[in-house]
Amino acid sequence: MATSILRRSTALTGGVLAVFIAIAPAQADDGDGGKDAYGGLGSSARWDGPATDAFNNAGGGAGASGAKGGSPEGGVGGQPNGGDGQDGQVPSGSGGGGGGGGGAHGYVDSDAPTTSKRGGNGGMGAVRGGGGGGGFGAVITPGGSNRLTISNKLTGGDGGGGGVSGGGGGNGGTGLALLANGGRDVTIGEGVVILGGAGGAGHGTGSIDGSGGAGIVVSGNGNATVSITVSKDSSVGGGQGSGSNGRSGDGIRGSNLNVTLEGRSLVSAGSGNNPGVAIRFTGGENRLELHSGYAIQGGVTVDTSNQATGTLAWGGAVNGSFDASDIGTKYSRFTAFEKIGTATWTLTGSNPDTGLISVKEGKLSVDGDLRATQIMVGQGGTLGGIGTVAATWIMGGTLAPDSNRSGQALTVHGDLSFTPNSTFAVEISPEWADWVNVSGQAKLGGATVAATFTPGQYVPKQFPILKSALGLDGAFGQKVDTNLPAGFKSTLRYEPKTVFLDLALDYTPPESKPEAGTPSSPAATPAATPAATPPNRGLSPNQTGLANALTGYF
């Protein structure tokens, strides 16, 4: 009777550590997982005969030591620290040939490696034997520091090719497999490359081509969050899928992830005819934060079939631009959007339904058509631009349209609401003023109007700063002027559907004095009074004389 063994192995797709445990009978031709708990399957051979046919000899799986390929002629697995699996052998009599041996992982430990690591390549299958799986570049196990910095290149081994008469190709190894028994904070250092191995080619009609390995795979963290920061000039990429049906490796894959892409960083899916994605969130609550200069090749997807949720955030300290038409296509199934950090991010393009964007820090400038996207601006955040948004709430933040760039208004396709601690910031020039056009009702809420005047030659003028198709509710609170031109004063004026900022000459009359000979009342020394406003402030002597004459006349 065959002896039973405890076998722990991984799914065949892209070197992903979707770990499961099974009890299976030991047999010479199963080509099962590596010799320790972190093995992954090689590819099965593909044959049109019965499943019990002796020709079905699988390639060996990757492991700290690679597994032997199926059948007595199977290739020996790679030795520890990145050894290649050996090729399967051609049988002396009839039979399908040996599966290739699995490659060994380049590194297995609980802390980050201190040198570059590469997983061993899987061995080639013989005749109809499957190719061995590629070893992982590094496997970081639980028990080490919760803060890791990867400072060296990690590369998964390539899967072995299948036998020439019908063997399937082995899968490429993962670049970095992170087994996180709880939360972890991982930084990919500047200039570091992490790459999954390429899948091995299958041969013969109906054969299975090997899938590329993922760049980074996170597993075992349960509901705990694992943060991954891809630093500038570093890259994470999936391995190339082989042939017509080998799937390309994902760049980053896992659940409950918080991924930050800094400037000049790159995350990419592997190349091939059956593409993977750059980032795949497989479950839990996830977040992707983009900094200006990032690059993504391939899509980003949130696997909602596994109840995953995703937040897309624009952050950092350097101004950036994002095409909103990529939401729902390149960036798929995100349910929340945020603007954080001190930078200004400009959204271009159009999108039929993004949902709600929360502006928490810095400025979000909308120049595209987001008429189905609601905006909420909190304290420390600013909304600007000349595009279109849906209903908007300014809740302690600032609304600052950018009409000065083109004369166009920022359009709110719905209601606009201010809270008392909010600010409506407008810039005024001699020719134009920033303004916002509201298709619904404008609820002014006692917010502050902050008017900033640019240099120039001013004349009295009435500037519309807010128009509302369904009218105004309430009024603004205080008005604060910055760089008010000399000799002018500004006031807010309200019509049923429009708020104006009126700029007028400041005809302040001089303080009147008692005529000569008029007796003064004998009274106690009067209390001190505030200094009077200087008459006709900022006017020349001639202008002052004219202003006084006009004031006296009227």
Side-chain angles (χ1 to χ4, degrees):
M1 180 175 179
T3 303
S4 293
I5 60 171
L6 181 66
R7 183 173 71 199
R8 186 172 182 177
S9 57
T10 63
L12 290 172
T13 54
V16 174
L17 272 168
V19 180
F20 62 93
I21 297 177
I23 300 294
Q27 53 188 28
D29 60 355
D30 63 1
D32 54 359
K35 294 181 180 178
D36 61 13
Y38 309 111
L41 290 176
S43 176
S44 297
R46 183 64 177 263
W47 178 244
D48 293 333
T52 56
D53 197 300
F55 293 159
N56 286 333
N57 296 322
S65 297
K68 181 180 181 295
S71 92
E73 293 83 16
V76 175
Q79 295 299 303
N81 301 318
D84 292 340
Q86 295 183 14
D87 295 343
Q89 301 299 307
V90 177
S92 56
S94 62
H105 301 327
Y107 175 89
V108 180
D109 206 312
S110 59
D111 283 309
T114 57
T115 59
S116 296
K117 301 295 180 181
R118 178 183 174 89
N121 297 325
M124 297 279 292
V127 190
R128 299 183 183 93
F136 299 171
V139 178
I140 298 181
T141 62
S145 172
N146 285 335
R147 292 184 177 272
L148 300 172
T149 297
I150 307 300
S151 302
N152 299 280
K153 183 177 182 179
L154 303 176
T155 309
D158 296 337
V164 295
S165 297
N171 293 335
T174 296
L176 169 62
L178 181 65
L179 307 182
N181 186 15
R184 259 182 160 169
D185 189 341
V186 181
T187 298
I188 311 304
E190 293 185 13
V192 170
V193 175
I194 298 179
L195 184 64
H203 295 97
T205 302
S207 66
I208 299 173
D209 297 304
S211 296
I216 297 176
V217 173
V218 177
S219 65
N221 53 316
N223 293 325
T225 298
V226 173
S227 296
I228 300 174
T229 298
V230 185
S231 303
K232 65 180 183 180
D233 299 321
S234 58
S235 64
V236 178
Q240 180 176 356
S242 179
S244 61
N245 54 39
R247 181 178 169 276
S248 301
D250 298 335
I252 298 174
R253 180 183 178 103
S255 63
N256 288 303
L257 300 185
N258 186 345
V259 178
T260 299
L261 304 186
E262 294 186 347
R264 303 202 307 268
S265 64
L266 169 65
V267 178
S268 61
S271 58
N273 294 318
N274 188 8
V277 294
I279 302 173
R280 187 184 303 273
F281 296 119
T282 58
E285 298 179 1
N286 305 275
R287 178 183 179 87
L288 173 61
E289 181 178 330
L290 305 177
H291 292 189
S292 180
Y294 77 95
I296 289 178
Q297 295 178 0
V300 180
T301 189
V302 179
D303 190 355
T304 53
S305 64
N306 287 335
Q307 287 73 53
T309 61
T311 297
L312 179 61
W314 301 279
V318 178
N319 296 347
S321 179
F322 183 88
D323 187 348
S325 63
D326 285 337
I327 296 174
T329 53
K330 184 175 181 178
Y331 299 84
S332 176
R333 302 190 185 98
F334 282 90
T335 53
F337 304 87
E338 293 180 352
K339 168 64 187 73
I340 61 174
T342 58
T344 295
W345 275 83
T346 300
L347 300 188
T348 61
S350 62
N351 196 289
D353 187 11
T354 301
L356 172 70
I357 298 177
S358 297
V359 184
K360 298 182 175 181
E361 297 174 311
K363 183 175 181 179
L364 181 70
S365 184
V366 178
D367 284 356
D369 186 350
L370 302 181
R371 66 185 59 213
T373 300
Q374 298 175 332
I375 308 290
M376 183 178 295
V377 185
Q379 187 172 3
T382 299
L383 172 66
I386 55 173
T388 301
V389 295
T392 296
W393 297 268
I394 312 300
M395 305 181 69
T398 299
L399 176 64
D402 294 308
S403 309
N404 57 333
R405 290 184 284 141
S406 65
Q408 296 175 269
L410 175 67
T411 298
V412 176
H413 193 69
D415 290 346
L416 170 64
S417 302
F418 293 91
T419 58
N421 60 336
S422 301
T423 300
F424 181 31
V426 292
E427 191 173 65
I428 312 292
S429 83
E431 294 81 24
W432 45 254
D434 289 335
W435 66 291
V436 60
N437 186 29
V438 182
S439 70
Q441 187 180 49
K443 303 175 182 180
L444 306 183
T448 296
V449 174
T452 300
F453 295 83
T454 64
Q457 298 296 317
Y458 284 84
V459 296
K461 193 168 184 177
Q462 300 171 347
F463 296 97
I465 58 174
L466 187 151
K467 296 181 180 180
S468 176
L470 298 184
L472 308 176
D473 180 9
F476 288 116
Q478 67 172 328
K479 177 180 61 63
V480 178
D481 291 328
T482 301
N483 298 328
L484 180 69
F488 286 86
K489 61 184 178 181
S490 71
T491 56
L492 295 177
R493 180 169 55 87
Y494 299 88
E495 292 188 358
K497 296 183 178 181
T498 305
V499 180
F500 290 89
L501 188 148
D502 290 347
L503 185 66
L505 286 171
D506 188 1
Y507 288 153
T508 304
E511 182 181 357
S512 61
K513 296 181 180 180
E515 296 182 7
T518 300
S520 57
S521 302
T525 303
T529 58
T533 302
N536 307 313
R537 55 188 176 186
L539 299 184
S540 68
N542 289 337
Q543 292 171 327
T544 298
L546 176 60
N548 290 341
L550 291 171
T551 302
Y553 180 79
F554 292 104

